[in-house]
Amino acid sequence: MSQRKKTSASQSKPQRTNENEDEMTFSQMTSSQVQRARENFASVQIDRKVAEVVQFILVKDQKKIPVRRADIVKHVMKEYKVIYLEVMNRVRRTFEQVFGLKLEEIDTKNHIYILINKLEAGGTVSMCPGNPGKTGLLFVILSIIFMKGGVAKENLVWNTLKKLRVDPREKHDEFCDVKKLVTDEFVRQKYLEYVRIPHTEPVEFEFRWGLRADIELSKLKLLEFVAELHDQDPQSWTQQFREASASESRT
Amino acid sequence: MSRPMGDSHRRFLQSMMSNGIISSSQAKVLHKHCCETHGAHYAHDRLDEFIDVINTQLQPMFMNIRKGMSEEDGLQYYALVNMAETDVTRMASDYADNELELFRKTMDLIVDSESGSASSTDILNCADSLQTKKLKKKETEHVLNKFVQDKWLNEKHGEYTLSVRCIIEMEQYMRIIYQDLIKVCHVCQNIALQCQICENPRCGIKMHLPCVARYFKGRSDPHCPSCNDFWPHEIPEILRSQSQGSQSLSSSAKENTAPTPSTSATRRSRRS
């Protein structure tokens, strides 16, 4: 726990200039420079680095914490960062071939990655593995947002949850602090976005789908689920059906 | 001869990653489910070969799906372990430094004990003398609960034992740091914490309770397999599901062979 605090403290201003340097390192190195750099490292050492990066990403992703490229370079690559691209290519291939996972960059500006399930067929990926309660709660919230056209005011979400006997004002048996779970944990994991509505007094917030939800979940499947709940055809919600079909063809 | 890795293997591996540890019967069900989901050829008695395919691919990553027996119920379990770690670092990302120190001390107490368990009182005493940062009574209780929830320890009537997950994942580490001090089962050659010990002071071999149950099954007059003295302890009953898993006992002994050859292990236990 103390280790986690350390890394978040280091993500302050100085880090940004280092990232700019990294950009130059990656884009301006010529192939011969990379070649020479690679020759300095024994292939067995490179293999080990690939293994360490894979482990690093797996541990972070297991907690649904998105992985920052800067962290990979700082904590794992270290002096090997000149061959970062080659190591990452092998890491990507390993994830696909061994684990059936895809390393997806959800933030191309800050270079943040998550792992998504690439195995075709068979059910939805579990959003909170080992915790069906949390998965269910998240799914309900995402449905509310989706059916509302992609944005839902926080009061709407809280009121709907209250009807399901999940009250953010009270301590819940399974989820403990519901508000914290929804506005902090799910947001950190990039399943939800909790955004302040500008010019509101007192301050109001709204919920949107997070980047991870966009990638991991099929909107079409979600709509089909909602439709089944109401015993109706998914196409009776024309707007949502159009959005769901469009997003399906995008992935 | 081994099959190439397919989606059925990957699904199995993904499931192992989210579960951490599964029982042998759960593994069999999962094997069937994975093969059927991806239309792969399914042979119900080829689970170990199926896992071997995965392990071949995991080897460069220093990971392994390892089989082990629970000291409590004698059943086989499969756990996904990280072999690059030579310490309790497997837990490092989930616990603070002093909590890890407490875990190591608890493990010391358990390994040292005859019963293979540590009382909460003894653990609380350790918490008071930690080198990193002392833990108060309430904090200690909270951490112990976490250890149990995360499946590193089991708790019964205030006594703590190492879980099957802990033993499978940390066996390598324990053999390295405890060396001769750790008890080894005479029957299956794996680490034995909760076990019966031969009362002959010149013998002193150890056997897991489930191994005792299997070894002495049906014998009314049990004798120590090593020194032939009368075996004075109560012979436990084999659990029904345990007898179904007994066929895999030999293969698990093979898979869990320690780095040290078995002959020297028995020689060592005779000396103690």
Side-chain angles (χ1 to χ4, degrees):
Chain A
M1 276 183 265
S2 49
Q3 282 143 325
R4 245 193 280 153
K5 282 207 191 114
K6 276 192 214 138
T7 42
S8 62
S10 66
Q11 286 166 15
S12 50
K13 274 215 172 131
Q15 188 77 353
R16 244 180 263 142
T17 39
N18 279 343
E19 282 193 27
N20 288 337
E21 283 171 25
D22 285 346
E23 278 300 339
M24 296 199 285
T25 311
F26 296 133
S27 56
Q28 287 180 359
M29 282 189 78
T30 63
S31 54
S32 59
Q33 283 174 310
V34 174
Q35 183 77 1
R36 255 182 286 130
R38 205 190 305 144
E39 278 157 20
N40 284 331
F41 301 117
S43 115
V44 124
Q45 291 170 304
I46 302 180
D47 289 345
R48 179 114 201 181
K49 271 303 154 186
V50 172
E52 284 174 19
V53 175
V54 167
Q55 292 280 4
F56 184 79
I57 296 175
L58 280 176
V59 168
K60 283 251 151 74
D61 194 75
Q62 200 168 40
K63 304 200 177 81
K64 301 286 187 180
I65 302 172
V67 189
R68 304 181 63 228
R69 183 171 81 179
D71 288 338
I72 298 177
V73 171
K74 182 172 176 209
H75 298 287
V76 190
M77 295 295 297
K78 300 185 193 165
E79 70 272 22
Y80 288 73
K81 78 174 187 188
V82 287
I83 51 166
Y84 178 81
L85 286 173
E86 171 174 346
V87 169
M88 285 312 285
N89 280 337
R90 285 180 58 181
V91 165
R92 262 197 199 89
R93 243 181 306 144
T94 302
F95 277 128
E96 283 189 28
Q97 288 170 3
V98 180
F99 297 89
L101 298 170
K102 184 153 180 252
L103 188 65
E104 184 95 14
E105 195 170 26
I106 55 170
D107 186 334
T108 46
K109 179 172 161 247
N110 298 308
H111 302 291
I112 302 182
Y113 303 97
I114 59 168
L115 285 173
I116 58 168
N117 198 335
K118 257 314 168 192
L119 293 180
E120 38 167 72
T124 43
V125 64
S126 175
M127 296 180 280
C128 308
N131 204 324
K134 271 192 194 168
T135 305
L137 177 66
L138 179 56
F139 196 75
V140 164
I141 298 173
L142 290 169
S143 310
I144 299 169
I145 302 170
F146 176 67
M147 295 311 281
K148 265 301 195 171
V151 187
K153 286 218 171 90
E154 71 172 311
N155 285 327
L156 172 64
V157 173
W158 302 136
N159 288 334
T160 314
L161 289 183
K162 260 181 248 174
K163 290 192 199 138
L164 299 169
R165 306 237 182 88
V166 178
D167 193 334
R169 292 168 310 179
E170 291 169 9
K171 187 169 190 274
H172 190 265
D173 284 339
E174 194 183 329
F175 305 129
C176 294
D177 191 340
V178 176
K179 189 149 193 252
K180 184 160 184 248
L181 172 63
V182 175
T183 60
D184 182 37
E185 189 172 321
F186 286 158
V187 172
R188 237 186 315 121
Q189 294 172 346
K190 305 275 182 199
Y191 278 118
L192 292 177
E193 276 179 24
Y194 185 58
V195 185
R196 190 179 152 185
I197 306 173
H199 314 303
T200 48
E201 197 63 46
V203 177
E204 279 174 44
F205 286 82
E206 61 191 14
F207 283 103
R208 291 166 190 266
W209 277 40
L211 291 166
R212 187 192 287 271
D214 278 331
I215 296 174
E216 278 189 14
L217 277 121
S218 154
K219 292 192 164 89
L220 196 55
K221 281 211 168 73
L222 190 144
L223 182 60
E224 283 167 7
F225 172 74
V226 173
E228 217 180 295
L229 273 180
H230 289 88
D231 203 14
Q232 285 183 41
D233 190 275
Q235 300 199 34
S236 35
W237 289 275
T238 35
Q239 190 93 326
Q240 287 85 347
F241 185 77
R242 223 182 301 145
E243 164 66 32
S245 312
S247 108
E248 196 80 352
S249 56
R250 272 200 299 267
T251 47
Chain B
M1 267 294 122
S2 74
R3 257 160 78 184
M5 189 161 193
D7 279 350
S8 57
H9 299 99
R10 296 181 188 110
R11 184 168 292 275
F12 191 95
L13 176 56
Q14 284 188 14
S15 194
M16 287 301 304
M17 289 196 321
S18 42
N19 287 306
I21 183 163
I22 59 176
S23 71
S24 183
S25 45
Q26 286 171 322
K28 289 191 171 83
V29 170
L30 183 61
H31 175 210
K32 183 162 189 244
H33 172 74
C34 291
C35 289
E36 285 175 355
T37 305
H38 295 281
H41 171 69
Y42 171 64
H44 73 97
D45 55 348
R46 297 270 189 87
L47 174 58
D48 283 341
E49 276 177 44
F50 183 82
I51 291 180
D52 278 342
V53 171
I54 303 174
N55 278 335
T56 310
Q57 298 295 319
L58 285 178
Q59 201 198 11
M61 246 79 56
F62 305 100
M63 290 166 71
N64 190 259
I65 297 177
R66 185 176 292 171
K67 201 154 81 163
M69 180 189 78
S70 158
E71 294 190 330
E72 256 105 52
D73 56 26
L75 296 174
Q76 296 290 320
Y77 289 83
Y78 290 89
L80 181 61
V81 303
N82 185 334
M83 301 187 300
E85 275 146 8
T86 49
D87 195 357
V88 295
T89 47
R90 175 75 178 80
M91 305 162 68
S93 53
D94 296 323
Y95 297 93
D97 285 342
N98 58 347
E99 294 172 336
L100 292 173
E101 194 194 342
L102 181 70
F103 187 81
R104 285 191 198 94
K105 286 207 144 66
T106 305
M107 190 185 265
D108 286 345
L109 286 171
I110 290 172
V111 170
D112 251 347
S113 72
E114 239 193 61
S115 58
S117 65
S119 69
S120 48
T121 322
D122 288 339
I123 300 173
L124 279 165
N125 285 337
C126 282
D128 205 32
S129 58
L130 291 176
Q131 280 188 340
T132 39
K133 189 185 156 198
K134 294 197 221 296
L135 281 167
K136 299 192 205 84
K137 182 165 189 255
K138 259 227 167 321
E139 292 173 324
T140 308
E141 282 166 1
H142 178 74
V143 171
L144 284 175
N145 277 335
K146 245 175 86 178
F147 288 149
V148 172
Q149 256 186 4
D150 291 344
K151 299 196 204 151
W152 296 112
L153 296 178
N154 291 331
E155 187 266 332
K156 205 173 180 183
H157 310 309
E159 291 282 318
Y160 289 86
T161 52
L162 297 186
S163 70
V164 57
R165 180 197 186 186
C166 182
I167 295 177
I168 295 178
E169 291 217 27
M170 303 206 204
E171 167 151 5
Q172 213 169 289
Y173 160 68
M174 291 197 280
R175 283 196 193 255
I176 291 171
I177 62 158
Y178 295 109
Q179 302 270 344
D180 280 15
L181 297 173
I182 201 163
K183 312 193 282 281
V184 171
C185 175
H186 182 83
V187 175
C188 68
Q189 297 305 316
N190 293 315
I191 289 180
L193 296 168
Q194 297 171 68
C195 54
Q196 291 181 353
I197 307 177
C198 175
E199 300 276 292
N200 182 350
R202 268 167 312 200
C203 179
I205 59 152
K206 290 94 183 160
M207 292 207 274
H208 291 118
L209 285 99
C211 293
V212 168
R214 267 187 282 251
Y215 189 81
F216 289 126
K217 182 182 169 188
R219 299 196 210 182
S220 52
D221 195 24
H223 287 270
C224 172
S226 181
C227 70
N228 217 36
D229 267 18
F230 180 68
W231 192 263
H233 308 283
E234 184 182 332
I235 313 294
E237 286 285 306
I238 297 185
L239 294 171
R240 211 175 350 118
S241 20
Q242 186 190 327
S243 55
Q244 281 166 12
S246 64
Q247 298 196 337
S248 41
L249 176 62
S250 49
S251 51
S252 85
K254 257 188 266 151
E255 278 177 47
N256 282 317
T257 352
T260 49
S262 50
T263 44
S264 64
T266 33
R267 250 187 267 133
R268 257 187 269 128
S269 46
R270 276 227 196 93
R271 246 191 281 131
S272 59

